[in-house]
DNA sequence: TACATGACTCCGA
DNA sequence: ATCGGAGCCATGT
């Protein structure tokens, strides 16, 4: 069964609202939707067609580190490019989390 | 239909 | 701080 259209729409809407220079997690996004799980948010990001306009790179793991996937390096660059910093252990400081 | 996989998390050892 | 296992559920074979 495919990800329900309504949930997918909510995921996209939320990701689109993450402010530049800030990040959020798969789990947080899942909680803001009705029925999605962190895993599904990851699946949704993985399925994004090339050329879309969503700031997918602003979505990281609950550990505040970039998840392990094929575009991880690119994601890191994109974030650095807009001012997101990483500590010695590769984690994004808590104050850059969104919301709050 | 059945089993494996994955851009996840949580929790306990 | 790490690590393994379990729960998760859409997808891929």
């Amino acid at each position: 069964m495919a990800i329900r259209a309504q949930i997918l729409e909510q995921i996209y809407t939320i990701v689109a609202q993450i402010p530049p220079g800030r990040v959020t997690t798969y789990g947080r996004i899942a909680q803001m939707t009705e029925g999605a799980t962190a895993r599904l948010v990851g699946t949704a990001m993985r399925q994004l067609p090339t050329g879309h306009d969503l700031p997918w790179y602003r979505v990281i793991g609950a550990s505040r580190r970039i998840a392990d996937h094929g575009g991880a390096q690119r994601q890191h660059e994109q974030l650095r490019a807009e001012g997101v910093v990483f500590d010695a252990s590769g984690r994004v400081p808590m104050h850059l989390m969104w919301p709050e």
Side-chain angles (χ1 to χ4, degrees):
Chain A
M1 187 184 275
I3 298 177
R4 291 169 41 201
Q6 184 184 330
I7 291 180
L8 208 48
E9 190 179 323
Q10 296 182 326
I11 292 175
Y12 291 160
T13 299
I14 294 169
V15 173
Q17 296 180 327
I18 306 173
R22 308 290 302 282
V23 299
T24 193
T25 71
Y26 299 93
R28 275 190 158 181
I29 292 176
Q31 288 177 39
M32 295 184 232
T33 67
E34 294 183 37
T37 61
R39 221 155 185 144
L40 281 199
V41 175
T43 296
M45 293 300 98
R46 187 183 51 191
Q47 300 179 331
L48 286 173
T50 58
H52 61 80
D53 56 336
L54 291 179
W56 58 274
Y57 49 85
R58 302 206 254 240
V59 184
I60 62 179
S63 61
R64 307 208 313 278
R65 287 197 246 182
I66 292 177
D68 174 33
H69 64 96
Q73 183 56 56
R74 214 170 23 197
Q75 177 170 15
H76 185 271
E77 294 172 12
Q78 296 254 53
L79 290 176
R80 286 302 306 279
E82 60 179 41
V84 174
V85 298
F86 295 84
D87 63 25
S89 53
R91 287 187 231 165
V92 174
M94 205 123 71
H95 66 82
L96 290 184
M97 299 290 283
W98 176 87
E100 289 310 295

